[in-house]
Amino acid sequence: MAREMDLTILLPALALAFIGVAMVYSATYAKTEMSLLFLKQIVWISIGLLAMLFFASLNFQVLVDRYSRPAYWALIVILAVLLAAGEQISGSQRWFALGPFSFQPSEFAKIATVLVLAKYLANRQDRARAWTTILGAFLLTGIPMVLILREPDLGTALIFIPLVFGMLYAFGAPLQRLFLIGGAGLLASPLIWTLLKDYQRQRLIVFLNPSADRLGAGYNIIQSKIAIGSGGLTGKGWLSGTQGQLRFVPEHHTDFIFSVLAEEWGFLGVIVVLMLFALLLLQVLRVSRFARDLTGSLTAVGLTMILFTQVAVNLGVATGVLPVTGMTLPLVSYGGSSLIVTMSLLGILTSIWAGRKVK
Amino acid sequence: MLWDQFLERKEAQYQKRIKVLAGLIILALGLIVVRLGYLQLVEGERYSELSARNRVRLVPIKAQRGLIYDCHQELLVGNVSSFVVSIIPAALPQDVDARRISFQLLQQLLNVDPQEIEEKLHKRELRYYEPLRIKSNVDRFTAAIVEEHRPELPGVVVQTESRRSYKFDALGFHALGYVGEISGHELALREGYQAGDIIGQSGVEKIYDHYLKGRNGWLHIEVDALGREMGILGREAPWSGHNLVLSLDHQLQARAEDVLEGYRGVILAVNVTNGEMLALASLPAFNPNLFAQGITRQAWEKLRRNRNYPLTNRATQGLYPPGSIFKVVTLMSALEEKLVTPQQRFACQGVYWISTWPYRCWREEGHGLVSAHRSLVESCDIYYYQLGLRIKVDKLGKWARSFGYGRPSGIDLPSELSGLVPSPQWKERTQNMPWFPGNTVMMAIGQGYILSTPMQMLGSIAAIANRGVIYRPHLLKEVRTKSGRLIHEVKPEVMYRVHAAPEHWDIIQKAMVGVVQSRRGTGKRARIQGIRVAGKTATAQNPHGEDHAAFAAYAPAENPVIAVLVYLENAGGGGAQAAPLARKILEAYFGIPAEENLETE
C-alpha cells in the first residue's frame, strides 16, 4: 500500500488540513463560549481520510468505466429535481439531505464531470482537432454547469470553465479554436448576467466599487483586507487576531478563513501555506504525466484544475482582487462536504498514481 | 495501446502543455504572493491602524470641572450629579408595536418625541450596543420614575453625569459667568477640547477655563463588529480641573446685589491696597443654573434680545459718561499743568456764557466764589468749565489716560471694553468735524464724548486713594489642585502710577473727604459711623432719559483699604440715589450696623 500512496500528495494535504483545524479553532474561539467546531472538523478530516483511502484502493479503470456515467447522470437528475423543488420553496437549494447527512450534489458533480469528460475525450483522441469533439466536451460540461448556476451557486458553476478548458488544452485541442470559444463565451456573458440572481449581480457591482456598499457586501472585502494587511510580516499570533476574533471578518471560519490565517500568522505564515498548496497542486498535476492511459491523465488534469481554481479564487476574493463568490479554501475551510469531496478527489488521483506504468 | 500510440505521436506536445498548466499555477500563486506582500508589508501599517480603530471604542471619562470659592472658602460654584436617559438599540424590543408602546411611555415620562428617537436610531446604524442618549438633565424624581418602569422599558438605561451648579443661583453672575457645551466653532478654534466638552462661556468660567476644565480620561473598550463590549483594554484616568479661590466676598457681593435690586446698574468694590475685587455686581443678571441645565434656543434668543441686556456685564462692557467723577482728573491736570492754583477762585452765578452758548451749573442759583477745594465738595460745574477753557484737550486726554480712562482696567474678565477718551483727531476721523473749545469744556465735567466703563471710574478713584499707585484689579486669588496644593497665587501688580505733586494729592483727597463729611458736601449720605469716607458724586446726563446716578468712594479716608463705585442707569441724582447705596456697602464691609438717622439727616 505504501508504494501506492504518494506521500508527496498526502503529507501537504494533511498539513493543510491540520492548519485548517488550528484556524477553525482560532476563528471560532471566544472567551465566553466554547466552540466545538474544530472537533467536528477533525471528525470530517477523519471521514475524508477514509473516503480518500476508499477511492485510492478502488481500481481507477473500474471507476471510470462502470460508475462515472451513471454517477454523472444521476447527479444531473438530482440537480434538476432540486432546482425544480427549490423554485417552489424559493431561494437557494444547494443541499441534499440523505438521512442525517446532507451534502451538496454540485460538489460531486464536478468530479463526475471530470471523469466523464476524460473518458469521452480519450475515446476521441484520433479526432482531437474536430469541432464535434470540442463542442461535445462543452455540452457535457455545460449541462451540470447551467443547473448549478441556476441553483444558484455562481462559484461552483464557474469552476467548470477552467476545468473544461484545461482538459481540452492538455488533450491537444487546437488553441485558436479554444480562443474562439472563449471569445464567444465572453460575448455571451451578458446572457449569463440575465441568468444571475439579484444578489449575485450586487456582488459583482460591489466588487467593481467596494465603497458602493460599505456596510453590506462591500464590508466583507474591506474587513478581509484589513485583517490580512494588519497581519504584517509576522502576524498578531494565534488566537490574537482581532479582526477574526471580534467577527469583523464575516464567514471567518469558512470562506474567509485565509484572512484569519493571514492576520494571525502574517506574511511568513501565508508563504508557508501557499508553498504547501503549490507543492500539492504540482504533485497532483504530475500524476497526469505518469498515468497508465489518457483517461487517467486527463482526469488528473481536470481534478487539478478544480483544486487550483478553488484555491486561486478563494485567495483572490480574500485579498480583494476577485468578487465575492462564496468559495471555500480546499482542506483549510471549515465544512464536511468540501473536505470529503476534496479528499475523495485526492484519493482518485492516488488511485491513478498507483496504477501508473512502472518503467 | 491507444495511449502508447498517442504518446508516440504527441509526447512532446502533451508534456509541454502540462508544463504550461504547471506554469500557470505557479504564476497565479506568485501573483497572490505579490498581492499579499503589498497588503501585509507595504500597506501593513495602515491596515494595522484600521484594525485597531475597528476594535477599540474610546469612551471619554469627563474630568470633574474645578470648583470656585470666595475669599472665605465659601463654595460658589460646584458640580452635582444629573441623570441621563439612554437606550441601547440592541436591547430594544424587535417587535414594532412593542417598541412603539415603550416609546410612547418614554414620551409621557420624559417628553421626548418618539419620532426623534427613531431618527437617532436610524442614524446610528451598526453600533447596536452603544448607549444612545435621548434625554439629558433629568431630575432625580423623573429618573426614579423611569427606573420604576424599567420592566416595561427594555433597553432603556439611566446613567449619571456631572453638571455645573451655582450655589447662589444668579449671585455674582457677571463675575462667575456660565458654562455650556463647546460649539463647533470653538472646537475648531481651540486646542485640547473635544466635542461635548463643557466650556466656560463668560466670566471667570471662561477666562480661567484652562485651569477649571481638567483633562478627560479615556476608557479603551474592546468591541466586536456589532459594537458589543468584549472587555476593557485600558483606562486613562481623568485629571480633575483646578479649584479657584476668588477675592470676591460672597456676603459683600450678596449685599451689593441686594441694594442694587430694582436698578439697572453696577456696584463695585475693590481692595485698593492690592487690587482684589471684593464685589462685582451688575444687574440685571441671570441664573446660570438654567444654562447648565440646557436652555432652549427660543429662551436663549429671548435673553439675548432683552432690552435690559442681562447678559452684558456692565462693569466692563457698559459705556457711560463718568460725569462729575471725572472732575478729580480735570482738577489734577489743571493743578499739575499749573493752569490754576489751589487758592484761585472762580465766580459761579449758575450760568456761564461761552460766546453765545450758555453753560449751566447744576445749582441754578450758583456757588459764588469757588476755590479748588469747594469746587469738588460742591461739584461746581462752572469752575470746571473755566478749567476746560484753559487746558488743552491733548493735556486733559493725557491725564485721563494716566488715570486709566480709555484703556481696559486689566481685570481678569473676558471682552472688556476700553471706553473712549476723545481727541480732535478722533472727532475729525469719525465725525468729520473740528474740535470746538466747547467740547473740552464738556469733557472737563465728564460729559460730552468721553465714555468709560464703571471699572475705569473705580480705577481712577483707587488712584486717588493710593496717591497714584494703581494695582491691577483681579478676581482670582489662588489656584489650587483638587487636593489643595497651591499652584498659582495672584500677587498684587502695580499696573501704572500717576505722577503728581504730593500737595496736589492732598488737595484732592481733602476735597473728597469734604464731599462726604462736610455739611455742604454732595455725598454726605455716604457717611458711616466711626470711619471717615472720601467720595465723589456724579449725575451724568445721557441721551437715554433720566440722569445716571453715580457715586465713587474710598475709606477710611486716612488709610484707604476699600474703594466702591455705584453707577445706576437713569436713576437720578448721584448724591441722592447712589451715595446711600455706597454707604450700605461700606457699612457691610466695615461691619457697622446701619443707622437710619444718618440717611434722614
Side-chain angles (χ1 to χ4, degrees), chain A residues 199-260:
Chain A
Y199 82 91
Q200 291 175 319
R201 292 178 194 167
Q202 181 64 21
R203 278 179 176 177
L204 285 172
I205 292 168
V206 167
F207 168 68
L208 295 174
N209 181 15
S211 53
D213 186 9
R214 201 165 266 288
L215 297 174
Y219 179 82
N220 299 4
I221 300 172
I222 292 167
Q223 293 298 346
S224 174
K225 277 161 72 178
I226 292 175
I228 294 172
S230 64
L233 181 66
T234 53
K236 298 176 184 169
W238 190 52
L239 301 181
S240 307
T242 56
Q243 285 285 107
Q245 300 286 326
L246 302 173
R247 282 152 226 271
F248 288 101
V249 175
E251 299 175 61
H252 51 294
H253 63 291
T254 56
D255 294 358
F256 282 96
I257 194 143
F258 184 76
S259 315
V260 179

Side-chain angles (χ1 to χ4, degrees), chain B residues 587-598:
Chain B
E587 282 171 345
Y589 179 77
F590 290 111
I592 297 164
E595 288 200 25
E596 298 305 314
N597 60 337
L598 276 172

Side-chain angles (χ1 to χ4, degrees), chain A residues 125 169-170 172-173 215 223 228-230 232 236 242-243 246-248 262 267 274 288-289 291-294 297 319, chain B residues 2-4 6 14-15 17-18 20 22 28 33 35 37 39-40 44 47-48 51 54-55 125-126 223-225:
Chain A
Q125 58 182 276
Y169 174 72
L215 297 174
Q223 293 298 346
I228 294 172
S230 64
K236 298 176 184 169
T242 56
Q243 285 285 107
L246 302 173
R247 282 152 226 271
F248 288 101
F267 188 64
L274 283 173
S288 68
R289 294 166 65 186
R292 180 183 292 276
D293 57 13
L294 186 57
S297 183
T319 53
Chain B
L2 282 168
W3 177 231
D4 296 323
F6 175 81
Y14 193 78
Q15 296 290 355
R17 289 199 169 188
I18 297 294
V20 169
V33 170
R35 173 71 177 168
L39 288 179
Q40 299 195 289
Y47 283 118
S48 289
S51 94
N54 253 348
R55 75 173 179 126
E125 284 179 337
L126 266 183
V223 294
D224 71 1

Side-chain angles (χ1 to χ4, degrees), chain B residues 460-476:
Chain B
S460 70
I461 294 310
I464 305 282
N466 272 347
R467 298 172 76 89
V469 179
I470 300 294
Y471 293 98
R472 178 191 291 275
H474 57 91
L475 287 159
L476 183 67

